[in-house]
Amino acid sequence: MALAGKQISRATQVAGRRMAAVRPALASRVSRSARLNTVCKVHKICVLPGDGIGPEIMEVATKALSVAGGKEGETFEYKQCLIGGAAIDATGKPLPDETLEVAKQSNAVLLAAIGGYKWDTLPSAQRPERGLLAIRAGLNAFANLRPAIVPRQLADSSPLKRELVEGVDILIVRELVGGIYFGQPRGFGTNEKGERIGYNTDVYSEPEVERIARVAFEAARKRGKRLCSVEKSNVLEVSQLWKEVVIRVGADYPDVELSHMYIDNAAMQLLRNPKYFDVIVTGNIFGDILSDEASMLAGSLGLLPSASISGSGPGIYEPVHGSAPDIAGKDMANPLAMVLSAAMMCRYDLAIPKVADRLEGAVNAVLDAGLRTADIYKAGTPNTRLVKCSEMGAELMKHL
């Protein structure tokens, strides 16, 4: 391999092992990937560049994916579709029917970012974010896996002290197609005083909680055997149900230490003592908040990938960060999280881990070389150099 002799960082090695931990709970998905790969070496990828910096980072990722795949005899067939604001501008809908159909017929979905100031004044049902929620629901991508690992090269870039973040290795398992983002009823109305109100419904069924809990327990079983369930059961009935079901499922995993924490305390402990956590399982809105907070342990959202998967069908692979409309088109974006998302896709939907190894190795190599985009650049740090998105992409190609 072209990467022979180059040591892949502990962070990327651990990320691979840790994310592999969910495979037992999703055996049908792995079997599906294996069958696909024995039939054909052409992998059909639904590419969704989206909005803001999305097209810039997607260009880097697909180029890197093609080069890495070529080295291993793998071919990718890309079908680019619209989602989010770009789809609204072209079709009036945040998720066109064609996009969802292409996604369903693909082996995996690679998504960059959606949204932006341009569409902030649209009615709620027509905003770009509805497209993201709709494709998750349409593919039944119920489990969102977000690793929060601090690369050794960037421990000093964290806003927290090195001794707090060095060695941090957390996996957040977030339920993705239920809870307050999808609950009904929702909307606007008036109260008994005639005042205008907005309302949403936070609702989970027992089966929904059980299936995400099992994914989390399986992951914890292959890691440090510690699972923390985060909710707000002192206030919310939906959280009381959540806790009851997680405890019941936990009886099937006596080797996993189960703890419980309220969301407000969990948010504090992520900053105070992040090494306490191994695997966190939580609902949609709490997972949204905690995963973004955890990503900043590494100093930037620009380095962290995520996977949204189901028991069958294609998964959605996307960076944790947003569309960053303020820097869109300025060649300032960090493409590394997008590239690492492509690596996760190769490892867990396409079952071609050698391609994932190449992508992760190239990311590690550019960080070792001191290359930093603006989000992870710290002036005065020895042996580092500020680069643009396109420059980072070019350097990745050299290492591939």
Side-chain angles (χ1 to χ4, degrees):
M1 291 176 64
L3 293 175
K6 294 183 181 291
Q7 182 179 5
I8 298 176
S9 71
R10 175 187 178 277
T12 51
Q13 289 179 357
V14 169
R17 292 197 299 270
R18 298 318 197 207
M19 296 305 294
V22 301
R23 285 187 172 184
L26 300 171
S28 62
R29 145 176 235 84
V30 177
S31 298
R32 169 183 173 272
S33 296
R35 290 196 303 270
L36 288 170
N37 289 322
T38 58
V39 172
C40 184
K41 286 286 185 178
V42 177
H43 308 282
K44 295 182 179 181
I45 311 301
C46 177
V47 174
L48 306 176
D51 310 315
I53 62 173
E56 301 168 60
I57 61 175
M58 184 64 81
E59 181 179 2
V60 172
T62 51
K63 285 182 178 178
L65 183 60
S66 293
V67 172
K71 296 290 185 180
E72 298 293 340
E74 306 289 348
T75 302
F76 300 94
E77 180 182 298
Y78 303 116
K79 177 69 173 179
Q80 185 167 310
C81 297
L82 296 171
I83 193 172
I88 292 171
D89 289 347
T91 70
K93 299 171 63 176
L95 180 67
D97 295 339
E98 179 187 1
T99 297
L100 182 57
E101 185 57 33
V102 169
K104 288 180 177 180
Q105 298 303 316
S106 300
N107 300 130
V109 176
L110 201 56
L111 187 152
I114 64 164
Y117 311 131
K118 178 180 178 181
W119 304 281
D120 280 352
T121 58
L122 291 176
S124 176
Q126 300 173 24
R127 294 180 62 172
E129 293 77 11
R130 302 304 299 176
L132 181 58
L133 296 177
I135 196 169
R136 288 170 177 171
L139 297 178
N140 193 29
F142 73 90
N144 182 238
L145 312 175
R146 291 194 177 187
I149 300 171
V150 180
R152 57 176 173 77
Q153 304 98 325
L154 298 176
D156 289 325
S157 298
S158 173
L160 302 183
K161 296 179 180 179
R162 174 182 276 272
E163 56 264 31
L164 282 177
V165 299
E166 191 170 20
V168 163
D169 177 9
I170 302 168
L171 177 64
I172 297 178
V173 180
R174 168 190 171 192
E175 200 289 324
L176 202 59
V177 296
I180 199 166
Y181 291 164
F182 290 91
Q184 296 290 341
R186 62 185 298 154
F188 299 94
T190 55
N191 62 17
E192 64 276 5
K193 298 179 181 179
E195 300 164 333
R196 190 165 181 256
I197 61 170
Y199 55 92
N200 295 85
T201 302
D202 193 3
V203 57
Y204 274 112
S205 67
E206 290 191 356
E208 286 177 319
V209 180
E210 179 171 348
R211 67 179 180 177
I212 194 68
R214 291 196 180 278
V215 170
F217 273 107
E218 292 287 351
R221 174 172 275 176
K222 294 297 189 293
R223 290 173 50 103
K225 299 188 187 312
R226 291 184 295 113
L227 175 62
C228 181
S229 175
V230 173
E231 26 74 6
K232 192 64 175 172
S233 57
N234 60 332
V235 176
L236 302 174
E237 284 80 2
V238 65
S239 285
Q240 292 167 16
L241 175 71
W242 178 283
K243 186 174 182 178
E244 290 173 8
V245 174
V246 171
I247 291 173
R248 185 174 71 238
V249 173
D252 295 336
Y253 299 86
D255 54 325
V256 176
E257 177 188 340
L258 174 62
S259 62
H260 304 272
M261 193 174 291
Y262 298 146
I263 175 61
D264 43 356
N265 186 32
M268 179 182 69
Q269 295 301 331
L270 268 177
L271 300 180
R272 180 177 178 271
N273 184 24
K275 294 178 188 178
Y276 168 81
F277 297 101
D278 178 25
V279 179
I280 295 172
V281 62
T282 191
N284 209 339
I285 189 169
F286 296 158
D288 194 359
I289 295 167
L290 290 181
S291 55
D292 275 8
E293 181 187 4
S295 70
M296 289 308 296
L297 297 174
S300 173
L301 290 170
L303 287 167
L304 298 178
S306 75
S308 302
I309 56 182
S310 66
S312 61
I316 305 168
Y317 295 83
E318 60 181 307
V320 170
H321 63 69
S323 63
D326 53 322
I327 63 170
K330 297 181 180 180
D331 200 18
M332 294 173 60
N334 186 345
L336 297 184
M338 188 77 253
V339 174
L340 290 173
S341 296
M344 287 182 68
M345 176 185 72
C346 290
R347 197 177 297 282
Y348 305 110
D349 248 19
L350 307 183
I352 45 176
K354 289 184 178 180
V355 179
D357 288 343
R358 286 185 177 273
L359 292 171
E360 292 168 353
V363 169
N364 183 62
V366 296
L367 292 177
D368 274 345
L371 304 178
R372 306 286 188 267
T373 46
D375 60 310
I376 54 175
Y377 178 70
K378 189 175 182 180
T381 303
N383 303 314
T384 62
R385 176 166 64 91
L386 179 63
V387 297
K388 296 181 178 181
C389 178
S390 57
E391 292 177 295
M392 185 68 87
E395 292 296 325
L396 282 168
M397 300 309 159
K398 290 179 183 178
H399 291 287
L400 287 169

